Amino acid sequence: TSADDHDVGGALEQVRGQISAAASAHGLAEPTLVAVSKTKPLELLQAAYDCGQRSFGENYAQELIEKSPQMPEDVRWHFIGHLQSNKAKALVKGVPGLCVLETLDSIKLARKLNTAVTDAGPDDRTLGVYLQVHTSDEESKYGVKPENAAELAKSVVSECPRLELQGLMTIGAPGDPSCFDKLSKCRDEVAEALGQEPASLVLSMGMSGDFETAIARGSSSVRVGSTIFGARDYPNRA
C-alpha cells in the first residue's frame, strides 16, 4: 500500500519514549497519548493499533464516521476538531466508540450532544467532554474565553446529565508556552466552581511540536499526529 514507507511502530515507540522521559524529568505522571490520525489511511491507524495504541484523535465528523466501523471496537476515539452543532447527532450515532469530544465551547453544542447521546442509546451511554479554552491572541481559534470557562462548566454539569465533563483542552499559539499556564489556571477555576480537585480534570495540551514543553507544565493528555504517522496528508475522502 501507499503507506508502507512510513514506520509507524518505530515512530510511536520514539514518541512514547519522549513522553515518558519528559514526565519523569518533572516527577509527573505520564500523560495519555492521543494519536492524531486525521486524513491518514486506515492501514496506518491499524499499524499503530497493532503496536498497542488505543486512543486516536480525528478532526472531521464525516471522516470519523467512515473510519470508526472499520477499526476494532476497543479504539477510544477522541474528536478534536470543531464540531458544528448540526453534526452532533450524526457523530454520536455513527461512532459508538466516541470516548471524548475535546472541543466543547458552547452550551448550545452541549445540549445538542446531550440530546444526541440520549437518542442514540443505550440508556447508560455517556460522552466525555473537555472544554476547549481559547488561550492565545490568535483570532482563528475556537474555544471559550478563560474567564467564561467556569460558568460554561457549571451549565454543562447541571443541564447535560449524559455528558461527563472530564477536562479542558487548548490548542495554544505555536511557541507560546504561556498558553499552557493559562489552561492550568483555568482548570483551577473550573475545579473550584465544580467543587472538585484540579487533578481530577484532564489537561489536554501539547502537540507534535511542543508536547514536551506541555508535559513540563502539567499536561495529562497530548495530541501527536505527524510525528507518528508522517507529515503527508492523504486526500480527504470525507
Side-chain angles (χ1 to χ4, degrees):
T1 58
S2 59
D4 277 347
D5 52 354
H6 184 73
D7 176 16
V8 170
L12 196 53
E13 199 174 321
Q14 195 174 350
V15 169
R16 285 182 182 145
Q18 288 171 284
I19 288 172
S20 188
S24 61
H26 297 277
L28 297 165
E30 212 166 294
T32 301
L33 168 61
V34 176
V36 179
S37 47
K38 64 172 179 182
T39 80
K40 307 302 179 193
L42 280 164
E43 61 261 31
L44 291 185
L45 279 73
Q46 190 62 52
Y49 181 92
D50 292 342
C51 297
Q53 183 63 27
R54 291 296 177 268
S55 297
F56 290 85
E58 290 283 343
N59 290 57
Y60 308 109
Q62 191 54 43
E63 185 181 353
L64 177 49
I65 290 165
E66 286 174 17
K67 278 177 171 171
S68 154
Q70 302 181 72
M71 286 291 287
E73 278 185 13
D74 63 337
V75 165
R76 294 190 290 272
W77 295 106
H78 287 234
F79 191 79
I80 57 174
H82 176 68
L83 185 69
Q84 292 166 300
S85 54
N86 64 357
K87 296 216 174 119
K89 187 176 177 180
L91 181 68
V92 169
K93 190 170 183 233
V95 188
L98 186 62
C99 163
V100 183
L101 180 122
E102 297 206 14
T103 48
L104 183 63
D105 62 359
S106 72
I107 192 63
K108 179 188 174 188
L109 178 56
R111 290 176 185 135
K112 290 265 190 182
L113 287 165
N114 190 68
T115 302
V117 174
T118 308
D119 291 350
D123 287 347
D124 60 349
R125 182 174 177 185
T126 56
L127 173 63
V129 292
Y130 301 165
L131 298 187
Q132 181 175 356
V133 182
H134 182 96
T135 55
S136 74
D137 298 327
E138 294 178 18
E139 282 302 304
S140 62
K141 302 271 165 61
Y142 296 100
V144 62
K145 290 191 170 76
E147 60 269 25
N148 299 334
E151 187 187 342
L152 177 57
K154 285 196 288 191
S155 300
V156 170
V157 169
S158 64
E159 289 186 38
C160 303
R162 303 299 283 271
L163 303 185
E164 283 181 30
L165 181 58
Q166 297 176 351
L168 290 83
M169 176 270 233
T170 199
I171 293 169
D176 180 8
S178 75
C179 293
F180 302 145
D181 298 330
K182 280 184 199 158
L183 192 68
S184 186
K185 179 172 175 281
C186 191
R187 176 175 69 168
D188 292 343
E189 291 162 6
V190 168
E192 189 178 347
L194 298 178
Q196 292 176 222
E197 286 296 318
S200 68
L201 294 167
V202 171
L203 278 184
S204 173
M205 57 190 199
M207 300 191 282
S208 283
D210 57 13
F211 67 84
E212 288 161 303
T213 308
I215 291 168
R217 284 172 154 77
S219 173
S220 40
S221 183
V222 296
R223 309 180 301 276
V224 181
S226 52
T227 314
I228 296 170
F229 295 112
R232 183 180 160 201
D233 272 342
Y234 296 77
N236 187 356
R237 297 189 282 298

